Amino acid sequence: MSLDNLDAFPQFFYNEDEVNVVSHEDEDEPVEQIVDAERLQKNVDLFGDLHYNYTSCRLQGQRLSAYSNKGDAIIGGIFPVHYKYIFLEATFTEPPKPIQCEIFQIRSYQHAMGMVFAVEEINQNPDLLANITLGFHIYDSCYSEARTLGSTLWFLTGNGEVIPNYNCNSKSLLPAIIGDETSAPTISIARILGIYKYPQVSHGAVVPTLSDKQQFPSFLRTNPSDNFQSSGLAKMINYFDWKWIGIIGSDFDYGEIGSKKLEKEILKTGACVAFFETIPKNNYKNKVAYIIEIIKASSADVIVIYVTTPIIVTLMEDIAMANITNRVWITTTSWPNPQDFSKKDVLQTINKTLGFAHYSGAIPGFKEFLLGLHPSRYMDDIFIKEFWGKVFGCKWSNQNTSQVMRNGARGSDVMYCTGTEKLKELHMSVYDVTNFRMSYTSYNAIYAVTYSLHSLIACETPGPFSNGSCSDINHFQPWQLLHYIKSVRFKNSGGKEMFFDINGDPPALYDIINILLYEDGTNKFIKVGSVASSASAGGIIIDKTAIYWNKENNQIPRSVCSEPCSPGYRKAIRRGQPICCSDCIECSNGEIANETDTADCWRCPYEYWSNDKHDRCIIRTIDFLSYEDPLGITLTTISIIFTLLTGSILCIFIKFRTTAIVKANNQKLSYLLLVSLMLCSMCSLMFIGYPVTLTCMLRQIAFGVTFSISVSSILAKTITVVIAFSATKPNSKMKKWMGPVIPYCTVTVGSLIQITTCSVWLTVSPPFQKLNTQLDNEKMIIECSEGSDLTFWCMLGYLGLLASISFIAAFLARKLPDSFNEAKFITFGMLVFTSVWISFIPAYLSTQGKYMVAVEIFAILSSSIGLLACIFFPKCYIILLRPDLNTRQSIMGKTTITNRNI
């Protein structure tokens, strides 16, 4: 390899045999590197070798303190033991001062102790790493990318020095780095370690970008990707049926990627985002002031905070100062401990927060380990004194620990730590030794590296070596160990199976917690559910009864843009607003909405109608002119009485058929007229009762034909009268028309025309049964459709024509000389008949349903009664009450009628 290619491989670590390093005792002087190009060209490893020895290796720079424990294999750990840092101003007249860390985090310190506990536990287990002792270097990243990068380079260089591309550690193996806890610093580490294919296992970074093996080939994590956290949050939001959600993210990788993913997942569930605001790295105050105004103006009761821990602390304190209450805050795994908030007023605002937390798995013995921490026991722990002072609210004097323990000194204003304090006496809200959460992931990360080392040593599976050979534990390359870490699969001491998928991610599993804060400053984290990628019931399980809500009467918040539409109403989207904002519009008549918040109303089936609330279909009441109906009973009674009356008159005429008055009025036509009138009254009964197609067809036909016979008979009687009186005149030509031919022909022709019309009607478009739902919403009227309205009105028109001809003929013959001129009575009868049917037309057209039928029945009965009364009642009067007038002489006018002329 020529030196021309060196720029393409900055990852090379130089072997001491090929590099002569001249060291100066004065640290201010730079190191000189004399490189033999020929030997470098022969021996440089393309993938880098972190395990070559150096006798002297130093550069000018700052040293970084670490909590170290010696061992044959040293694992690096990077934890944000502090969560706030400051840069000191550079004067350019002296070397830059190191970054200063502030505000100790008890929680992150416990995460680091998870690594320490795992190392101690592994070293006591002879079955894992035989003849190899694990050690560690734990650095404090302080959430600073600069410190994180420095920690990484210090670890790679060894001996507390930073020399890029050099490894000055000649005594220990350097298997992997654990960390960092947050995503932004972790990405910086991953980009450097990816160059060397150096294994990195993060216990807290969740940004989905890290799953991209093209960018980060050597990165793995024991904490699930935030890709699933976003999906899990959306599932929880959908579980509580929240439709109007506020999101506050940040422009860091964690908040930016996660919040945008969350927005997409929320929209997939049909919910809406009320506002989506991002907190920038710069101009924080102005942006937060704007966000606070947005929150105040919004109707969203549920707000998701998707930012990193340091930003959450400042943001929630500003929100508390703005007196924003009655909101439910939904958190991610980055939510800080209540002790991290410096302003106590914020505790009321964040009380009863609901959110996600890392799965709190079991670590047997870890609780006792945490309670057994003590400065005198862990002298190499550079953080333990600060931890002790934090949890007990005391300060260490400048004396060493043993002196302080003996003296127990206490100042006037400051309580000094004595070392006699008991961790067991601390309240859980101060020092929680039950919920391990990210301590669990750091614990698993150490074991993942350990089991991979075990596999490498035992050569359990064919590794990435030539000819299936095994690697020497003292001379392996980072990428070789990475091969084993990717395929590692084990059960931890708590019995939970641990493995990585193809992207280096573990199975996703979160706890859903409810954070309770009490007036005495204590707090409690209640596990109310869980969400997992492999769980049933949609991946989420929640115990609603265990949740305390920041609402009146501890009610689950609604968080909707508009109230859901109750059954009977449909929602209409407000123009220009998200789909979750709508107005409720009542369903139209005949339509229902039997579900809450539906977008459409459904029309009821034909036989049904909507109730008053429009939430269900009710069967329509069947309505027709029945025999049980009062109107039907009345008409039926009248029809029967008229039929009987007509039949009685017929009987009278038959009994007194030999009398003069019966003979004088053409008894056969009288019989035919009476029978037809009887049939007319009887056909009216066909209009009453449940209509079927057969009755619909017969009733109008029967009515038209029987009335045609009746009117034709009356016309024939009138013609007979006219011919009879005209034939009595001398030399009258009407004598030849005397006889039954003319009357019978008149009846036959008049009836046949109507029969022909009705036959055409039945052939072309016959009447049929019809269900009328338009007249009354709550009723389904069963009626007869006339089929062809034209033929119906032709039938009535023909009856009107016959009636008009009969009326005119009778009217002209009314003054013929005779004591008993039947033409006069026919005139009155036809006058009644025409009057009834003329008034029938507007009445018929102005009514509907059973009342239309009743109008037609009334017209049939009234016209029939009018004809019967006008034509036959006078004759019956003479037959029954004045038999003395029932003589030929009286009819011919040859006797004097003393009482009364008819």
Side-chain angles (χ1 to χ4, degrees):
M1 180 184 296
S2 66
L3 288 177
D4 296 337
N5 296 323
L6 288 179
D7 292 339
F9 298 93
Q11 68 269 35
F12 289 162
F13 279 70
Y14 304 122
N15 189 298
E16 185 185 22
D17 294 334
E18 287 99 24
V19 182
N20 180 16
V21 180
V22 180
S23 174
H24 299 268
E25 293 188 8
D26 188 355
E27 294 186 0
D28 293 336
E29 294 183 21
V31 173
E32 295 184 17
Q33 300 181 7
I34 304 174
V35 180
D36 187 328
E38 293 182 0
R39 286 188 295 171
L40 177 64
Q41 186 176 9
K42 295 178 183 179
N43 298 308
V44 170
D45 184 359
L46 179 63
F47 297 101
D49 185 355
L50 295 177
H51 304 294
Y52 295 119
N53 297 327
Y54 298 84
T55 57
S56 178
C57 191
R58 182 196 299 173
L59 279 178
Q60 174 185 344
Q62 301 169 353
R63 288 180 175 269
L64 184 66
S65 298
Y67 175 16
S68 299
N69 189 31
K70 295 180 180 180
D72 298 319
I74 303 297
I75 299 178
I78 301 176
F79 296 84
V81 181
H82 295 79
Y83 80 82
K84 188 176 182 181
Y85 64 89
I86 56 174
F87 281 105
L88 298 177
E89 183 179 357
T91 61
F92 301 102
T93 59
E94 56 182 358
K97 296 179 181 179
I99 297 171
Q100 299 296 318
C101 294
E102 299 180 338
I103 308 180
F104 186 86
Q105 286 193 118
I106 299 173
R107 181 179 63 175
S108 291
Y109 178 70
Q110 284 186 339
H111 304 162
M113 290 303 101
M115 176 176 175
V116 174
F117 175 74
V119 169
E120 290 187 3
E121 194 174 64
I122 291 166
N123 287 333
Q124 295 172 8
N125 186 351
D127 297 330
L128 278 178
L129 297 178
N131 302 322
I132 293 179
T133 303
L134 278 186
F136 57 79
H137 290 316
I138 296 178
Y139 297 96
D140 181 11
S141 67
C142 195
Y143 289 107
S144 166
E145 294 184 44
R147 282 183 65 94
T148 300
L149 290 173
S151 302
T152 304
L153 294 175
W154 268 303
F155 177 75
L156 294 176
T157 303
N159 290 338
E161 300 289 351
V162 177
I163 306 177
N165 296 335
Y166 283 88
N167 178 7
C168 299
N169 195 333
S170 61
K171 297 181 180 181
S172 302
L173 303 174
L174 306 172
I177 289 181
I178 308 300
D180 191 357
E181 191 166 301
T182 54
S183 297
T186 302
I187 291 175
S188 301
I189 302 173
R191 294 196 185 279
I192 292 178
L193 298 183
I195 296 173
Y196 306 112
K197 307 299 186 294
Y198 195 97
Q200 175 192 5
V201 184
S202 173
H203 63 286
V206 295
V207 66
T209 308
L210 288 166
S211 298
D212 184 357
K213 295 300 102 178
Q214 294 293 326
Q215 297 187 62
F216 309 102
S218 64
F219 175 81
L220 304 98
R221 50 184 157 196
T222 53
N223 205 36
S225 166
D226 204 38
N227 221 353
F228 183 76
Q229 182 176 205
S230 300
S231 302
L233 285 169
K235 287 181 180 180
M236 184 176 71
I237 289 170
N238 187 53
Y239 181 88
F240 290 108
D241 200 27
W242 293 328
K243 299 298 184 183
W244 195 233
I245 312 299
I247 300 177
I248 299 177
S250 63
D251 59 0
F252 295 92
D253 288 335
Y254 172 78
E256 183 178 11
I257 298 174
S259 58
K260 289 182 179 179
K261 171 72 174 177
L262 174 62
E263 181 186 27
K264 293 180 181 178
E265 294 295 329
I266 287 175
L267 295 177
K268 286 181 183 178
T269 65
C272 300
V273 176
F275 59 86
F276 188 154
E277 297 298 332
T278 301
I279 299 175
K281 296 179 182 178
N282 303 317
N283 197 25
Y284 169 84
K285 291 185 178 180
N286 292 337
K287 183 64 175 181
V288 168
Y290 172 76
I291 291 175
I292 288 174
E293 295 302 319
I294 292 293
I295 295 173
K296 288 181 177 180
S298 176
S299 60
D301 290 333
V302 176
I303 301 173
V304 181
I305 306 295
Y306 216 123
V307 297
T308 55
T309 301
I311 298 178
I312 290 176
V313 174
T314 307
L315 173 66
M316 296 311 297
E317 288 179 350
D318 290 339
I319 289 175
M321 290 181 62
N323 196 28
I324 296 177
T325 58
N326 207 31
R327 296 289 197 282
V328 175
W329 306 99
I330 305 299
T331 73
T332 63
T333 54
S334 64
W335 191 258
N337 277 333
Q339 294 83 358
D340 296 333
F341 294 96
S342 59
K343 298 178 181 179
K344 300 304 177 184
D345 295 341
V346 75
L347 299 182
Q348 183 179 359
T349 301
I350 65 174
N351 189 25
K352 301 176 182 177
T353 294
L354 187 69
F356 278 19
H358 299 290
Y359 172 70
S360 181
I363 309 178
F366 188 51
K367 177 180 178 181
E368 291 73 19
F369 172 81
L370 292 176
L371 293 176
L373 293 175
H374 196 277
S376 63
R377 182 178 177 184
Y378 293 92
M379 301 293 292
D380 295 330
D381 188 347
I382 64 174
F383 308 112
I384 195 166
K385 285 188 176 181
E386 192 172 3
F387 156 72
W388 200 267
K390 181 77 172 182
V391 294
F392 291 109
C394 61
K395 291 186 178 181
W396 293 96
S397 66
N398 293 328
Q399 298 170 301
N400 60 44
T401 304
S402 60
Q403 289 175 324
V404 174
M405 291 174 63
R406 289 194 301 269
N407 299 334
R410 183 183 296 269
S412 57
D413 298 325
V414 179
M415 185 177 72
Y416 288 99
C417 303
T418 65
T420 60
E421 297 86 359
K422 304 293 183 183
L423 291 176
K424 295 180 180 180
E425 298 176 355
L426 291 172
H427 191 273
M428 186 176 67
S429 62
V430 177
Y431 189 53
D432 188 358
V433 293
T434 57
N435 296 319
F436 303 136
R437 306 209 182 279
M438 212 173 293
S439 301
Y440 179 75
T441 57
S442 63
Y443 175 84
N444 284 334
I446 295 296
Y447 267 94
V449 175
T450 301
Y451 274 99
S452 62
L453 279 171
H454 176 82
S455 298
L456 185 145
I457 295 170
C459 197
E460 293 177 351
T461 57
F465 317 115
S466 61
N467 300 323
S469 61
C470 296
S471 177
D472 182 2
I473 186 62
N474 297 312
H475 298 89
F476 67 88
Q477 300 298 320
W479 58 271
Q480 295 173 332
L481 180 63
L482 179 62
H483 168 81
Y484 286 102
I485 295 180
K486 286 182 176 181
S487 59
V488 73
R489 197 179 193 100
F490 65 94
K491 282 190 177 181
N492 59 27
S493 58
K496 192 74 175 177
E497 188 175 31
M498 180 66 199
F499 61 90
F500 301 104
D501 63 15
I502 193 172
N503 297 317
D505 297 327
L509 180 61
Y510 295 96
D511 290 337
I512 301 175
I513 60 171
N514 193 200
I515 304 173
L516 301 183
L517 307 174
Y518 302 102
E519 294 181 356
D520 60 357
T522 60
N523 60 77
K524 186 177 181 181
F525 288 69
I526 302 175
K527 181 179 176 180
V528 296
S530 63
V531 59
S533 57
S534 58
S536 59
I540 188 165
I541 301 172
I542 297 179
D543 181 7
K544 292 182 180 180
T545 60
I547 302 176
Y548 293 87
W549 297 102
N550 190 20
K551 289 289 183 180
E552 296 180 1
N553 302 321
N554 198 36
Q555 296 294 316
I556 298 176
R558 299 286 303 281
S559 197
V560 293
C561 178
S562 54
E563 291 298 322
C565 298
S566 58
Y569 292 83
R570 65 176 178 88
K571 65 177 183 180
I573 306 301
R574 296 174 186 167
R575 181 173 295 181
Q577 296 191 24
I579 60 172
C580 299
C581 301
S582 59
D583 296 315
C584 296
I585 300 176
E586 187 176 13
C587 293
S588 304
N589 289 333
E591 295 182 342
I592 64 163
N594 55 4
E595 297 177 358
T596 300
D597 213 27
T598 181
D600 298 299
C601 296
W602 299 279
R603 179 160 291 280
C604 291
Y606 195 75
E607 298 84 2
Y608 292 82
W609 190 252
S610 57
N611 60 353
D612 293 339
K613 295 182 179 180
H614 296 277
D615 59 357
R616 64 186 182 94
C617 291
I618 56 175
I619 191 167
R620 296 176 190 261
T621 303
I622 297 176
D623 190 41
F624 58 91
L625 186 60
S626 66
Y627 290 104
E628 291 80 15
D629 189 278
L631 182 58
I633 293 172
T634 302
L635 295 175
T636 300
T637 303
I638 295 173
S639 178
I640 293 173
I641 292 173
F642 176 71
T643 301
L644 294 175
L645 178 60
T646 308
S648 300
I649 294 175
L650 177 60
C651 293
I652 292 172
F653 267 60
I654 293 174
K655 182 180 180 180
F656 295 96
R657 63 185 176 277
T658 58
T659 60
I661 196 168
V662 175
K663 290 181 178 181
N665 288 276
N666 198 334
Q667 59 182 355
K668 291 182 180 181
L669 287 178
S670 296
Y671 296 158
L672 181 60
L673 178 57
L674 287 171
V675 171
S676 63
L677 289 177
M678 251 171 64
L679 293 175
C680 287
S681 62
M682 291 176 65
C683 77
S684 64
L685 296 177
M686 298 178 67
F687 288 82
I688 305 173
Y690 189 89
V692 295
T693 301
L694 181 61
T695 56
C696 290
M697 293 172 62
L698 293 179
R699 68 184 191 179
Q700 294 291 6
I701 304 302
F703 153 67
V705 172
T706 54
F707 261 90
S708 296
I709 295 173
S710 299
V711 177
S712 297
S713 299
I714 293 173
L715 179 59
K717 289 173 69 69
T718 306
I719 293 174
T720 301
V721 172
V722 172
I723 292 174
F725 280 95
S726 299
T728 57
K729 296 179 180 180
N731 301 321
S732 175
K733 296 180 180 180
M734 299 298 292
K735 291 181 181 181
K736 62 180 179 179
W737 298 106
M738 290 294 292
V741 177
I742 295 298
Y744 294 157
C745 289
T746 301
V747 173
T748 301
V749 173
S751 302
L752 282 176
I753 294 174
Q754 189 70 290
I755 291 172
T756 302
T757 303
C758 292
S759 298
V760 173
W761 185 6
L762 291 176
T763 303
V764 176
S765 180
F768 57 90
Q769 183 196 64
K770 176 185 176 182
L771 303 180
N772 187 349
T773 58
Q774 305 300 320
L775 181 60
D776 193 328
N777 294 334
E778 298 180 359
K779 294 180 180 180
M780 182 170 61
I781 300 173
I782 302 176
E783 59 185 12
C784 291
S785 174
E786 307 306 342
S788 173
D789 291 333
L790 177 61
T791 52
F792 172 72
W793 289 108
C794 285
M795 179 197 74
L796 290 181
Y798 178 69
L799 282 179
L801 177 63
L802 280 179
S804 300
I805 295 173
S806 298
F807 174 74
I808 294 171
F811 180 78
L812 295 176
R814 73 186 189 283
K815 294 184 178 180
L816 291 175
D818 198 350
S819 60
F820 188 84
N821 186 359
E822 190 178 21
K824 292 186 292 186
F825 303 108
I826 292 176
T827 301
F828 285 110
M830 295 311 299
L831 181 61
V832 172
F833 184 89
T834 53
S835 299
V836 168
W837 286 103
I838 289 173
S839 61
F840 159 79
I841 294 175
Y844 183 82
L845 295 176
S846 62
T847 55
Q848 290 181 327
K850 65 180 181 180
Y851 298 105
M852 178 185 289
V853 178
V855 167
E856 188 169 358
I857 294 173
F858 177 79
I860 292 171
L861 294 178
S862 58
S863 59
S864 299
I865 292 172
L867 292 176
L868 184 68
C870 293
I871 296 174
F872 291 99
F873 281 4
K875 298 179 177 65
C876 291
Y877 172 78
I878 293 174
I879 293 171
L880 298 177
L881 301 180
R882 297 295 302 274
D884 57 305
L885 298 179
N886 192 4
T887 62
R888 183 178 178 83
Q889 292 77 9
S890 297
I891 294 173
M892 299 301 293
K894 295 181 178 180
T895 60
T896 302
I897 301 174
T898 59
N899 293 327
R900 187 175 175 182
N901 290 329
I902 297 179

